[in-house]
Every structure is written in C-alpha cells, then in structure tokens.
Amino acid sequence: MNKLGVHALVWEKGWSHDECARAIANTAKVGFDLIEIPALDPASIDADFTRKQLEQAGIGATSSLGLDADTDISSNDREKEKRGQARLEAAVAVARDFGATHVCGILESAFQKYAVPTTAEGVQRSVEVLQRVAEVAARSNITLGLEVVNRYESNVLNTASQAVEMCKRIGAPNVKVHLDVYHMNIEESDIGQAILETGDHLGYFHTGDSHRGYMGSGSIDLAGVFRAVVKSGYAGPITFESFSSRIVGQPLEGILGIWRNLWEDSHDLAAHALMYTKAQLKAAQEAQKQAERSRLL
Ligand code: MN
C-alpha cells in the first residue's frame, strides 16, 4: 500500500518549533501517513524536536531539497561539487535523525532556471557525487529520489527516461526516480506511458495539478495518472505538493514562480487532496480488476 503524505509547505513556511509542531499535528489530524519536510537549509531543522513531534503524532516523514547555484554538483566546478556533496550529506544526516525514509527533490543539480544546457561532464560529475551520497544514505536505510522537473527548474533531469538512465549510471539500489505530475504535464509526451516505463526505478511520487492548486481543479488527466501508477505496481510514497503565495516566501516563491494565491485554507486543501487521492487509487484498483470480471462464461 502506498503511504500518503503532504508537503509541509501546505501548512507552514518555515520550521521553527511552533511551525514544526503545527505542521505535524495538522498532517496527522487530516489523516496522512507522512509529512514531507523541506531541508533546503538542513541546519535550520531541529531533528530531535521534529522526531519527538512525529512520534507523538504517530506519523512518518520524508525530506526534500534542491541544490542551489553555489552547491551545484552538475556544474563541473570542483568547489561547488564539494559544497554540494556536503549539503546532500547534511540533508541525509538530519533526515536520518528525525526518522525520514526518503530524501528527494532536485538532488542532481541546482534548483534554478539555467541559461544553457547541461554538459556530459556535468552529468558525469553529478553521477559520481550521488554515488558517494548514496553510500552514506544506505547506511541509514534512506532512499534518494532524483526529482524530474520542468525545464525552468533544472537542465539535467526533465523527463522520466533521463532519470531512469541516471539511476542506471549511479547503479545504487537506494537511488530512485522521483516523478511529479505537475512537471510531467509540462515535459512528457504521455504521462501514463512515462510512469509505466519508469517501472521499478520509481521510488517517490508527487501529486498536484497543472497550476499546483487543488487536485482535480486543473487540466491534468489525474484519473489516467493514477491508473498508470496502480498499473505500474508502484507501492512507495505518494505526496501531495501544492504552493500558494499565502504560505511560500522567498527565495522559493521566486524560483517556483508562485505569484497567484490558489487557496486560502490549508486544512481544506489537504483534506481534499487526501480524499481525492484515495478515491483515485481505489478507482484505479477497481479498473485493474475489469479484465478478470469480464470473462465470458
Ligand atoms: Mn515536486
């Protein structure tokens, strides 16, 4: 069974003790299995406090981040690579300390709009750094998810097939593909086919809609997406990610282009996402049974 989660930015902008306690309590109250805690700045997270809040609420956690220009492991700049590896290892350490199972997001490059394409050397450097980080993560039973994002947020992994190839080159069992339906809607020719072709390499999944607001209120064929997810046999986490100018502040607001307010009420948004995801998964599971229920006697 897929564990269902929600991104902490649905609830809170930062991770002070008050923000952490509220985000975790609200996630549990709505009924999610886990919360995805952003670790863009791993040092800003009090891991012990976070772990205690998670235990108290009885939910699990994952963590996510994107590198920045100064820590870009795909830059082919040795100093940036070193800083990037240190940032990723710090994120893995803090995730381990608060009990996360996954560290995902844009781990393979900076999280930014690039002005030029990536290079073969840059990709190779990224592969080598991620091989080293994967070893560290494996010691804590943490899976790394390489997020495939649209062209305005990275120049390394824009399609699922590129991410599958990257995972093969890294060659570590705990490095998986992290797909996000919002990005797939921009870059893939066929979202369902891309999910199926990712197959066993899929290790983390972000849901949302075309404008990153309420699920089902945008233009993505989410029924088709969930049918592909179920058909693929994917059993890992499915996390709802949505951004509104009401919560997101700089620098994330600028990088993601969150100019519009797509919702006011975090609780209503999250409760709807959980209900919607459960309904889609159930419908897709029932659709899978259609063949066996249609035999001619
Ligand atoms: Mn995402």
Side-chain angles (χ1 to χ4, degrees):
M1 275 291 283
N2 304 99
K3 290 229 164 82
L4 303 183
V6 62
H7 195 286
L9 268 166
V10 164
W11 305 113
E12 303 287 343
K13 176 182 170 182
W15 209 246
S16 66
H17 283 185
D18 281 353
E19 289 169 316
C20 164
R22 280 197 303 262
I24 290 170
N26 281 326
T27 298
K29 190 174 160 197
V30 171
F32 286 99
D33 304 307
L34 65 90
I35 183 169
E36 180 180 321
I37 301 170
L40 288 157
D41 176 13
S44 69
I45 295 175
D46 182 338
D48 286 342
F49 182 84
T50 303
R51 183 171 36 76
K52 283 183 195 123
Q53 298 298 314
L54 290 165
E55 282 167 6
Q56 215 174 316
I59 59 168
T62 60
S63 190
S64 59
L65 74 155
L67 296 173
D68 56 22
D70 224 34
T71 53
D72 185 355
I73 60 172
S74 72
S75 59
N76 211 16
D77 173 323
R78 298 302 155 118
E79 291 307 311
K80 290 180 182 178
E81 261 169 48
K82 270 189 219 159
R83 289 194 290 268
Q85 184 175 333
R87 174 77 55 84
L88 292 171
E89 288 179 357
V92 166
V94 78
R96 172 200 65 205
D97 291 346
F98 67 70
T101 52
H102 295 67
V103 172
C104 56
I106 309 171
L107 313 181
E108 62 277 2
S109 77
F111 171 25
Q112 65 176 31
K113 183 176 185 302
Y114 285 83
V116 291
T118 191
T119 61
E121 295 77 17
V123 171
Q124 181 55 28
R125 301 305 304 158
S126 180
V127 163
E128 288 167 20
V129 171
L130 288 167
Q131 283 170 332
R132 295 194 284 273
V133 176
E135 276 183 33
V136 175
R139 290 201 282 273
S140 305
N141 288 319
I142 286 176
T143 297
L144 302 181
L146 308 183
E147 187 165 14
V148 181
V149 296
N150 73 72
R151 64 190 69 188
Y152 306 110
E153 296 183 26
S154 175
N155 62 358
V156 175
L157 299 181
N158 298 145
T159 66
S161 67
Q162 290 172 329
V164 168
E165 178 60 26
M166 185 114 174
C167 284
K168 286 180 182 167
R169 286 193 206 173
I170 293 166
N174 64 327
V175 179
K176 299 283 192 180
V177 176
H178 167 185
L179 294 179
D180 179 316
V181 70
Y182 163 79
H183 298 292
M184 297 183 89
N185 181 56
I186 297 171
E187 300 292 349
E188 301 289 352
S189 300
D190 183 327
I191 299 179
Q193 191 62 25
I195 291 167
L196 292 173
E197 286 175 2
T198 302
D200 291 342
H201 290 286
L202 185 57
Y204 203 81
F205 199 83
H206 270 166
T207 56
D209 214 320
S210 51
H211 46 27
R212 312 200 98 158
Y214 273 80
M215 285 182 82
S217 73
S219 60
I220 299 178
D221 169 22
L222 287 170
V225 168
F226 281 98
R227 284 192 184 199
V229 167
V230 167
K231 198 172 177 187
S232 77
Y234 174 66
I238 297 178
T239 300
F240 173 64
E241 185 175 49
S242 179
F243 302 108
S244 173
S245 60
R246 188 183 153 271
I247 305 253
V248 183
Q250 294 293 359
L252 208 54
E253 185 174 277
I255 304 171
L256 291 167
I258 309 299
W259 318 131
R260 288 190 294 141
N261 192 353
L262 290 160
W263 40 265
E264 305 285 341
D265 182 337
S266 300
H267 198 279
D268 187 60
L269 173 87
H272 170 266
L274 183 61
M275 177 178 66
Y276 191 94
T277 302
K278 282 183 174 172
Q280 290 285 359
L281 285 170
K282 175 69 176 164
Q285 285 152 4
E286 291 302 323
Q288 279 284 102
K289 296 175 188 165
Q290 180 68 1
E292 68 188 72
R293 287 174 175 163
S294 301
R295 291 207 184 91
L296 182 65
L297 297 177

